[in-house]
Amino acid sequence: MTIDLRSDTVTKPSKEMLEAMFSAEVGDDVFGDDPTVKSLENKAAEMFGMEAALFCTSGTMTNQIALKAHLFPGSEVICDKYSHIYLYEGGGIASNAHASVKLIDGDKGRITAEQVRGAFNNPEDIHLPLSTLVSLENTMNKGGGSIYDFAEIIKIKEVCQEKDLKFHLDGARLFNALVETSETPKDFGGAFDSISICLSKGLGTPVGSLLLGNADFIKKSRRIRKSFGGGWRQAGYLAAAGIYALDNNVERLKEDHANAKAIGQILQKCSFVKEIMPIDTNIVIFELVENWTNTEFLEVLKQKGVGAVAFGPQLVRFVTHLDFKTEDLNLLEKILTQISK
């Protein structure tokens, strides 16, 4: 595959990141002996102004640990209908937390405080699940990388405080939002009870996500991670990549966003495109005209060395990343503008 735009998870570690990994000091993390894992967890917790962090294998794991820690059988999480925790985590809300879900029809995956208030169940009504948790996703994958207005997040937090709801953020691509707005990691750390951040998407590490929260929450989460089979040993080799990424790969996310917007401009000239969703960060979602199907179009791309994914009826997704360079953009333009039917 010449150009891989299936996801920002397809990147390979740079030479500099590999050097950091190879030189890491490690120990057995299950015994609490890995100094590089501790350094990464402390670094992330301090960055977000939260008490503690837990290094895990994936964003699905960090989200599912958070859900299990916050929820209980008979409880309910309120989230957008396109949330990753609902659509793309193997039914984990049911199988791990044994909880129900209240789906909200948001704006490109973003819900409002008033929608949350309207979704809250009367705790005195024994027919209904107990509303317990609100989960947001920022940026929003199915929303085309859309970014939450932080003022709305604060309004949702106020509803959570009023209704005694926990507040979780699936921040798999949070840093993509942060480089485009005026907020800081500490702003988000002060708004949420728990945050999941992914290191292996735009930040370019080979493996890993972090879960952040207060000390008691992370203590509980560490036990849940163990029960999930998520305890690992000399994980410092991977944690070193996370430290390198946080130090070096955050600001460069703007390059991915610029490339995504450039792809959007190319697509505007293509006859197979019916509509392009607004491009806020590094995700490009476009709708095909009626005489194309996802299967046909993706096969044409594959034959020309381009990887992409189907993202709903007639929808195709490209995701830019640190391994997608200017020469790839130029080649992609040649390929896309020559496709016809």
Side-chain angles (χ1 to χ4, degrees), residues 20-306:
M21 295 169 69
F22 289 150
S23 62
E25 182 183 357
V26 300
D28 189 320
D29 182 54
V30 175
F31 287 119
D33 293 341
D34 194 304
T36 308
V37 170
K38 289 181 179 179
S39 293
L40 172 62
E41 291 172 343
N42 291 337
K43 181 183 185 68
E46 182 177 351
M47 180 182 292
F48 282 83
M50 303 183 87
E51 289 182 357
L54 182 66
F55 186 38
C56 298
T57 58
S58 69
T60 293
M61 179 175 278
T62 48
N63 279 333
Q64 290 301 313
I65 289 172
L67 291 168
K68 188 170 178 63
H70 288 310
L71 295 167
F72 52 88
S75 65
E76 182 174 78
V77 55
I78 298 168
C79 63
D80 184 85
K81 67 181 183 180
Y82 290 134
S83 295
H84 194 279
I85 63 166
Y86 173 67
L87 287 181
Y88 297 125
E89 298 187 4
I93 296 172
S95 62
N96 297 318
H98 308 299
S100 186
V101 58
K102 176 72 68 67
L103 299 177
I104 294 178
D105 188 6
D107 171 30
K108 293 192 289 293
R110 298 164 299 188
I111 62 178
T112 68
E114 285 309 304
Q115 286 179 310
V116 171
R117 186 183 299 278
F120 180 77
N121 291 333
N122 177 4
E124 301 304 319
D125 189 337
I126 62 172
H127 302 86
L128 304 176
L130 287 168
S131 300
T132 303
L133 174 68
V134 175
S135 179
L136 308 185
E137 186 178 328
N138 193 33
T139 66
M140 183 65 184
N141 180 24
K142 285 285 283 187
S146 58
I147 302 172
Y148 263 92
D149 180 350
F150 191 71
E152 191 64 39
I153 289 177
I154 295 303
K155 291 179 182 177
I156 296 172
K157 174 183 173 63
E158 291 169 352
V159 174
C160 290
Q161 290 175 326
E162 175 190 336
K163 302 294 187 181
D164 195 26
L165 297 166
K166 294 296 183 182
F167 198 19
H168 174 67
L169 176 65
D170 175 359
R173 295 184 175 92
L174 177 57
F175 287 101
N176 291 87
L178 287 170
V179 300
E180 293 292 336
T181 64
S182 61
E183 285 79 46
T184 67
K186 283 187 170 64
D187 290 329
F188 278 84
F192 289 89
D193 295 298
S194 57
I195 297 176
S196 165
I197 57 172
C198 191
L199 301 171
S200 62
K201 291 190 171 70
L203 298 186
T205 74
V207 175
S209 289
L210 287 157
L211 181 61
L212 302 99
N214 65 34
D216 287 341
F217 172 79
I218 294 299
K219 182 179 180 180
K220 182 177 182 180
S221 296
R222 190 175 297 275
R223 175 174 287 274
I224 295 170
R225 187 188 70 169
K226 177 64 176 175
S227 73
F228 282 178
W232 42 8
R233 305 302 177 176
Q234 289 72 34
Y237 293 116
L238 296 171
I243 293 171
Y244 180 89
L246 291 173
D247 287 340
N248 296 278
N249 288 351
V250 174
E251 286 302 315
R252 62 142 304 279
L253 290 169
K254 294 179 181 179
E255 300 172 18
D256 298 344
H257 301 173
N259 283 332
K261 289 179 172 62
I263 292 174
Q265 293 173 350
I266 294 168
L267 289 171
Q268 289 176 354
K269 300 180 289 184
C270 296
S271 61
F272 54 80
V273 175
K274 180 178 181 180
E275 185 176 358
I276 306 168
M277 289 184 64
I279 300 169
D280 296 324
T281 49
N282 69 323
I283 297 176
V284 182
I285 298 176
F286 57 96
E287 183 178 0
L288 298 168
V289 294
E290 284 76 7
N291 64 325
W292 280 98
T293 67
N294 283 341
T295 304
E296 292 171 332
F297 184 76
L298 291 175
E299 183 59 30
V300 170
L301 288 182
K302 183 179 179 180
Q303 292 174 1
K304 295 178 180 296
V306 178

